[in-house]
Amino acid sequence: MNGENWSHLVGNISNLLAPSMAKDHPNLPVVKAEGCYYYGVDGKEYLDFTSGIAVENVGHRHPKVVQAIKDSADHLVHGPSGVIIYESILRLADELGKITPGNLDCFFFANSGTEAIEGAIKLAKYVTRRPYVVSFTGCFHGRSMGALSVSTSKSKYRKFQQPSWLTYQLPYADERDCPFGEDPEEYFPRKLEKDAETLFKHQVDPEEVACMIIEPVLGEGGYIIPPKKWLQKIREICDRHGILLIFDEVQTGFGRTGEWFAAQAFDVVPDIMAIAKGIAAGLPLSATAASKELMEKWPLGAHGTTFGGNPIACSAALASLEVLKTENLLENAKQMGEYALKKLHDLKAEHPAIGSVRGLGLMIGIEIIDPQTGKPDGNAVMDILNSSLDKGVLFYLCGNSGEVIRMIPPLVVTKEQIDQGLKVLEEVLTEHEAVVSKS
């Protein structure tokens, strides 16, 4: 495949595709992907530090995944689960149950992270017979109406949508907001108790709250890593009031944080979990995970899907799980994440445009600020991303004002590739700061 037959269409993107998606960064025309690289229509090789937005955890087009897709297509392309049943979906459910935290061993398969969130909220409301949901400010859970009602990473996602009023928010724990001299592991759990008490006294009785939903590591909202004891306090509050706890592990799952799921990194077992992205190495697949006890309370027809749990996608997921295990990619995520963070902290010491660096495994955020004001600088991030792309490295952005660079390479990434990518970032930061100092 090459770009000769379609490259003339690139300049017409916004007329062919909905601008709400087509105007995203950077619209890089590619003809192929392999491992940690994209290959452009322009003939250039691009180091991918986005993993297709935390999807290609085993690398682009891993040979075992590609072969599993081909083998599956020889037998079955579509299977409306329940109308028929097939091996790959049963085997996948069995294998997932071996790596999910606690007793989350029963699965409803869907196609996207948003669908997994919708399923999780529906399950919680059905089981508890309670109407309200509590989410956390800054979290992103998707853009369909149910998921949007608990998404607060950016107000623009909710504009003109009037998402459900049956939701309330509590503040997410950001260690940058910890008062000087306080221990975040002690301060934020204490603050959460007060915030929850105020919410329950003045806005919603806890006996009417079906669930709390949270990203254990803030994703699109800025790659914020909360204190461990704060997440454990959320679990405690939920248990106290009979509230179900939902973890949105769409972005943090399948080794991204160095554990199978972030729940295991924080020693917290949720009641329900939404998983997607890295589950099937690029094929559309997601799951709402819960215990059999909870799932059994959901009767036939209470939730359904036509395409969820597609047999080819399930086969790709099985192959991806095998690769993650046999190639020790969770351990590689830990080691390469620590290596990258150390190098980034060294960069921060030399570059005043870096406000903070934070990460868990290979889920790393690099905050960019105006060196003179110290304020987040989303415009600078776009300049840095574009210049990095010109030099052959693809990063992505996040944060409320787009002020954070996401560094989320495939879990197969090597030290040499991290060095390559961060060398480019250093060059671009130097150029950026030189321009800023002259202005």
Side-chain angles (χ1 to χ4, degrees), residues 47 49 336-348 351 354 357 362 364 366 384 388 391-395 405-409 413-430:
L47 180 59
F49 274 8
M336 294 302 100
E338 291 173 0
Y339 180 73
L341 277 174
K342 182 181 183 306
K343 291 184 72 71
L344 283 166
H345 282 296
D346 291 343
L347 276 184
K348 181 181 181 300
H351 294 276
I354 298 180
V357 176
L362 282 171
I364 298 171
I366 307 156
I384 291 167
S388 296
K391 295 176 183 287
V393 181
L394 177 62
F395 291 98
I405 297 172
R406 292 193 227 196
M407 181 176 169
I408 40 174
V413 71
T414 64
K415 282 186 177 181
E416 292 74 21
Q417 289 165 335
I418 288 173
D419 288 342
Q420 176 189 352
L422 294 187
K423 182 176 184 292
V424 165
L425 181 61
E426 182 175 20
E427 291 173 1
V428 170
L429 284 168
T430 300

Side-chain angles (χ1 to χ4, degrees), residues 20-37:
S20 62
M21 282 294 291
K23 289 188 177 180
D24 199 2
H25 170 84
N27 271 317
L28 176 66
V30 303
V31 295
K32 185 180 178 182
E34 191 97 39
C36 290
Y37 295 94

Side-chain angles (χ1 to χ4, degrees), residues 11 47 52 83 85 97 132 148 189 203 231 236 258 264 267 301 310 346 358 362:
L47 180 59
V83 176
I85 203 66
Y132 295 104
L148 188 62
Q203 296 187 72
L231 280 174
E236 180 186 323
Q264 292 144 338
D267 295 324
N310 173 273
D346 291 343
R358 47 200 182 246
L362 282 171

Side-chain angles (χ1 to χ4, degrees), residues 72-79 310-312:
S72 181
D74 282 340
H75 297 280
L76 198 61
V77 171
H78 171 62
N310 173 273
I312 298 178

Side-chain angles (χ1 to χ4, degrees), residues 131-325:
Y132 295 104
V133 179
V134 174
S135 63
F136 290 79
T137 304
C139 287
F140 178 79
H141 300 293
R143 292 181 177 90
S144 59
M145 289 304 288
L148 188 62
S149 71
V150 291
S151 291
T152 57
S153 59
K154 291 184 177 72
S155 60
K156 71 176 183 179
Y157 298 150
R158 300 160 68 93
K159 191 174 183 179
F160 306 132
Q161 300 303 312
Q162 297 85 40
S164 170
W165 59 92
L166 300 177
T167 62
Y168 297 89
Q169 278 74 44
L170 286 169
Y172 200 93
D174 186 339
E175 292 194 9
R176 294 171 299 177
D177 297 330
C178 186
F180 180 76
E182 288 268 17
D183 179 356
E185 291 286 350
E186 302 300 328
Y187 170 75
F188 284 105
R190 191 169 68 244
K191 182 177 184 296
L192 177 62
E193 278 282 11
K194 291 181 179 179
D195 290 340
E197 182 181 2
T198 299
L199 177 70
F200 294 152
K201 277 186 176 181
H202 295 279
Q203 296 187 72
V204 61
D205 191 292
E207 291 185 1
E208 289 195 292
V209 177
C211 59
M212 289 189 179
I213 181 169
I214 190 168
E215 289 181 288
V217 176
L218 209 61
E220 203 268 350
Y223 275 38
I224 307 296
I225 302 164
K228 187 174 184 178
K229 288 184 179 179
W230 181 75
L231 280 174
Q232 293 174 345
K233 175 61 69 173
I234 294 173
R235 174 74 275 180
E236 180 186 323
I237 290 171
C238 286
D239 290 341
R240 189 186 310 158
H241 297 290
I243 298 169
L244 296 178
L245 177 58
I246 300 173
F247 267 15
D248 177 345
E249 295 250 18
V250 170
Q251 190 162 171
T252 52
F254 299 95
R256 177 56 56 187
T257 65
E259 302 289 345
W260 281 110
F261 299 97
Q264 292 144 338
F266 290 96
D267 295 324
V268 178
V269 178
D271 299 293
I272 306 171
M273 195 162 66
I275 54 180
K277 284 192 181 287
I279 189 173
L283 270 65
L285 185 66
S286 68
T288 301
S291 66
K292 183 182 178 184
E293 179 185 8
L294 277 185
M295 285 290 191
E296 283 183 333
K297 295 179 181 179
W298 224 2
L300 176 65
H303 197 46
T305 177
T306 297
F307 292 102
N310 173 273
I312 298 178
C314 288
S315 295
L318 284 165
S320 182
L321 288 177
E322 180 186 355
V323 171
L324 285 163
K325 293 174 183 176

